[in-house]
Amino acid sequence: MKNLLYILLAATFLSGCNNWLDVQPYDRVAEDVAFTSVKGFENALNGIYIEMNHTSLYGSYLSCEMIELMAQRYHVNEGTVYYHDLVEHQYQGEMCRTRFADIWEKIYNLIANINKLLENCEKQRTVLSDDYYQLIKGEALGLRAFLHFDIFRLFGPLYEPSDNVTRLPYYKIFSLNERPRFAAEEFMNNVIADLREASNLLENDPIRTEGSWQENTYTFTSFRKMRLNWYAVQLLLARAELYRGNKSDALSAARNVIDAQEKWFSWVNRQNISSGKEDADRVFFDEIVFGLRNSRVTRLYSSYFNGNTLSSEMLLAPLNSQILKIFENNRDDYRYVAFFSTLLTAGSSAYNLFEKYKSTVDSLSSNLMPMLRISEAYYIAAECEPEPEEGMQWLNQVLVHRGVKEMTNSSLLASTLEKEYIREFWGEGQLFYYYKRLKYSEIIDSDDPQYVSMRTMGVAEYQPQIPESESKYNDMYN
């Protein structure tokens, strides 16, 4: 990678450890300082999680802004060129190219740091107890798979096992010279292999006996919801297996998560989500399997979604006519209540403000960016059951906890799943990948106030070009 610095990232973000890393010179890690103590390993891994909150990644672009514009989430003004380019899937403008390059570079920088951490798990094996070795290495492998998989979902092709045209780097070691690249099936095999090894290493994850939000004697092993825990690995494995069409293994992994729902991932309580409550649970906190702790989550509302302070050109919001169609006029749908119950008129247009990340209470729960949630396990199980009637039972378990009427006609399973992906994952960056995985040739057009017109989708719309600096540097793309 042309611009990778390969520098571990925790030091500037964690109080009390600003000098734990000595960089010599700018592209060399002083491992003798960083990995000679358990605390050094903890800091290195924490730094990865913290950097995943970067604006270029899940702090904005890959959660609630850029990737959601690509999925037609918001009705935007044509005069807002960057927003409208993303809605139109015109990725060649300078702003779009810069942002895609930022995503690419940031993810591969994090992967390089993960590989340096994994390398030292073996080199400095005596520093770590068996439990810590398994926990740290398991999380690191899971994160490596997570980040590579999102590179593939964004920059990769419409998935076909036989596709050998697009080859993307999958880094298993820290190296300044070796540049391994893989076609679609090989790349996804690497994702799955990392996740299965992570699953084995995390077999004794404290989350399985203490829960997802338990504080114990050791801070590093507490609050497992904020880390890529064993259940998160299972759900990510289910997501990845489904993406490559392996429904039987996807179902098996999804059921591993579903089996823990009642004990560790309780469904949201209707009375806790009202937008009128100061401490309203708009993110459905207990249902989150994995989320990133980000003290800037609530700023997302003021940056993108606050209709009281943002101009109509900068506001990201759907039109009221679109929301009523999406929720089929069901104002009792929990997601409508939590996310969209505030109306705003701007000029001649009526909007529903998106309020998932609005909060006046500063707490750990209000600062959690959802990455994986329990409902996705049920959606995957519903899609993967060989018999539609069985799939319908999984889907109904979500519907009943969303204030939506249960399905009785299994022939509507696929269309109801589509509606649920649209309603459920607002601001979490999953809808575009859903359309891409299923190779939708058309998706609904957010420019249409009536939410009827369709937008044609093909390879060019689904697959942004690999950044120019990378393709010039590495002839694998030429």
Side-chain angles (χ1 to χ4, degrees):
M1 303 298 139
K2 183 178 182 181
N3 296 316
L4 285 183
L5 303 184
Y6 300 108
I7 299 172
L8 290 165
L9 301 154
T12 58
F13 298 94
L14 299 175
S15 60
C17 56
N18 288 338
N19 297 317
W20 76 280
L21 177 62
D22 175 26
V23 181
Q24 7 165 321
Y26 76 95
D27 63 347
R28 293 292 183 270
V29 175
E31 298 169 49
D32 56 332
V33 176
F35 296 109
T36 55
S37 69
V38 172
K39 189 65 176 177
F41 278 94
E42 292 178 356
N43 288 345
L45 188 54
N46 285 343
I48 303 299
Y49 286 109
I50 291 168
E51 280 297 290
M52 287 173 70
N53 287 312
H54 195 279
T55 298
S56 300
L57 301 182
Y58 307 101
S60 176
Y61 295 1
L62 296 182
S63 57
C64 65
E65 190 231 30
M66 185 175 181
I67 196 72
E68 294 287 65
L69 286 159
M70 294 161 65
Q72 308 294 304
R73 286 294 201 185
Y74 314 114
H75 182 78
V76 301
N77 191 304
E78 288 188 22
T80 311
V81 177
Y82 162 66
Y83 283 170
H84 210 258
D85 280 352
L86 289 171
V87 170
E88 295 282 341
H89 305 110
Q90 300 296 324
Y91 303 139
Q92 297 310 306
E94 183 178 355
M95 181 68 79
C96 286
R97 287 189 289 107
T98 297
R99 289 201 174 196
F100 284 119
D102 287 347
I103 292 169
W104 178 278
E105 181 175 333
K106 194 68 177 177
I107 285 183
Y108 277 114
N109 262 289
L110 286 177
I111 289 169
N113 282 276
I114 290 169
N115 282 333
K116 178 56 66 175
L117 173 61
L118 287 167
E119 178 184 312
N120 278 278
C121 280
E122 308 306 326
K123 287 172 61 177
Q124 303 285 1
R125 179 65 182 86
T126 57
V127 173
L128 301 171
S129 67
D130 288 345
D131 287 345
Y132 253 51
Y133 170 82
Q134 292 170 359
L135 198 64
I136 289 173
K137 185 175 180 180
E139 286 186 36
L141 282 169
L143 288 169
R144 185 170 77 180
F146 188 105
L147 292 169
H148 275 112
F149 184 35
D150 272 2
I151 279 284
F152 186 85
R153 292 200 295 174
L154 184 57
F155 293 99
L158 298 176
Y159 184 75
E160 292 291 346
S162 59
D163 187 336
N164 289 308
V165 177
T166 303
R167 290 176 170 266
L168 299 173
Y170 199 105
Y171 287 91
K172 298 180 183 180
I173 60 172
F174 177 91
S175 174
L176 297 175
N177 300 310
E178 185 176 344
R179 289 175 171 78
R181 62 270 193 187
F182 299 92
E185 185 175 25
E186 296 173 299
F187 191 99
M188 288 303 299
N189 285 343
N190 284 322
V191 170
I192 299 300
D194 272 353
L195 289 173
R196 293 206 178 278
E197 185 176 357
S199 176
N200 291 334
L201 288 164
L202 293 171
E203 189 70 29
N204 296 317
D205 189 330
I207 196 173
R208 304 188 72 181
T209 54
E210 300 174 9
S212 65
W213 201 239
Q214 181 66 34
E215 182 175 13
N216 58 40
T217 306
Y218 303 103
T219 303
F220 186 76
T221 59
S222 301
F223 308 119
R224 296 296 296 164
K225 187 188 293 284
M226 295 193 300
R227 313 187 75 87
L228 203 67
N229 58 74
W230 187 83
Y231 293 113
V233 168
Q234 301 307 305
L235 185 46
L236 185 57
L237 183 59
R239 179 189 284 180
E241 289 285 20
L242 179 58
Y243 201 88
R244 67 174 185 165
N246 190 348
K247 289 189 173 182
S248 60
D249 284 349
L251 176 60
S252 177
R255 293 193 68 164
N256 285 336
V257 187
I258 290 171
D259 288 345
Q261 180 276 315
E262 186 174 355
K263 188 173 184 180
W264 301 130
F265 305 105
S266 302
W267 295 112
V268 69
N269 190 314
R270 171 66 174 80
Q271 67 185 18
N272 293 333
I273 67 175
S274 172
S275 60
K277 290 169 59 76
E278 184 175 298
D279 59 345
D281 179 14
R282 295 186 178 90
V283 299
F284 303 174
F285 175 78
D286 287 342
E287 298 181 12
I288 297 174
V289 178
F290 167 48
L292 292 172
R293 184 183 178 185
N294 184 346
S295 61
R296 298 187 296 273
V297 165
T298 54
R299 296 183 196 173
L300 294 174
Y301 179 73
S302 59
S303 298
Y304 302 125
F305 310 117
N306 190 341
N308 296 317
T309 59
L310 295 169
S311 67
S312 59
E313 287 78 15
M314 300 308 297
L315 177 67
L316 294 183
L319 293 171
N320 176 248
S321 56
Q322 296 170 334
I323 284 295
L324 291 179
K325 187 161 187 178
I326 288 169
F327 287 97
E328 299 177 329
N329 292 306
N330 179 8
R331 292 176 174 84
D332 291 324
D333 188 306
Y334 290 11
R335 291 141 319 180
Y336 178 90
V337 174
F339 310 161
F340 294 113
S341 58
T342 300
L343 296 175
L344 172 76
T345 300
S348 60
S349 299
Y351 296 91
N352 286 72
L353 297 183
F354 177 54
E355 298 186 313
K356 176 180 278 189
Y357 301 121
K358 178 181 179 181
S359 178
T360 58
V361 179
D362 185 19
S363 64
L364 284 174
S365 58
S366 67
N367 290 328
L368 204 66
M369 173 61 74
M371 302 294 283
L372 293 160
R373 58 173 63 251
I374 191 68
S375 53
E376 186 177 0
Y378 286 86
Y379 295 152
I380 291 172
E383 186 174 346
C384 292
E385 283 285 2
E387 299 299 327
E389 292 78 13
E390 296 295 323
M392 185 174 68
Q393 292 182 33
W394 291 121
L395 184 53
N396 278 337
Q397 291 190 52
V398 181
L399 298 183
V400 74
H401 292 98
R402 292 293 184 262
V404 179
K405 186 177 180 181
E406 293 184 50
M407 285 178 55
T408 56
N409 184 351
S410 61
S411 68
L412 300 177
L413 178 63
S415 61
T416 306
L417 272 170
E418 178 186 345
K419 293 175 184 177
E420 281 299 291
Y421 270 85
I422 293 173
R423 295 166 181 157
E424 182 76 2
F425 298 109
W426 279 89
E428 297 181 20
Q430 298 306 314
L431 183 59
F432 180 79
Y433 300 134
Y434 171 80
Y435 291 144
K436 185 172 181 176
R437 172 173 65 83
L438 293 177
K439 303 180 178 68
Y440 275 38
S441 60
E442 294 181 320
I443 63 175
I444 214 76
D445 188 348
S446 63
D447 277 350
D448 179 12
Q450 302 308 312
Y451 215 56
V452 173
S453 300
M454 304 299 289
R455 183 177 294 277
T456 301
M457 298 292 288
V459 173
E461 288 74 27
Y462 279 125
Q463 188 176 2
Q465 289 188 357
I466 291 167
E468 184 178 354
S469 60
E470 179 68 17
S471 59
K472 282 184 177 179
Y473 183 67
N474 194 335
D475 64 4
M476 71 175 99
Y477 308 115
N478 296 328

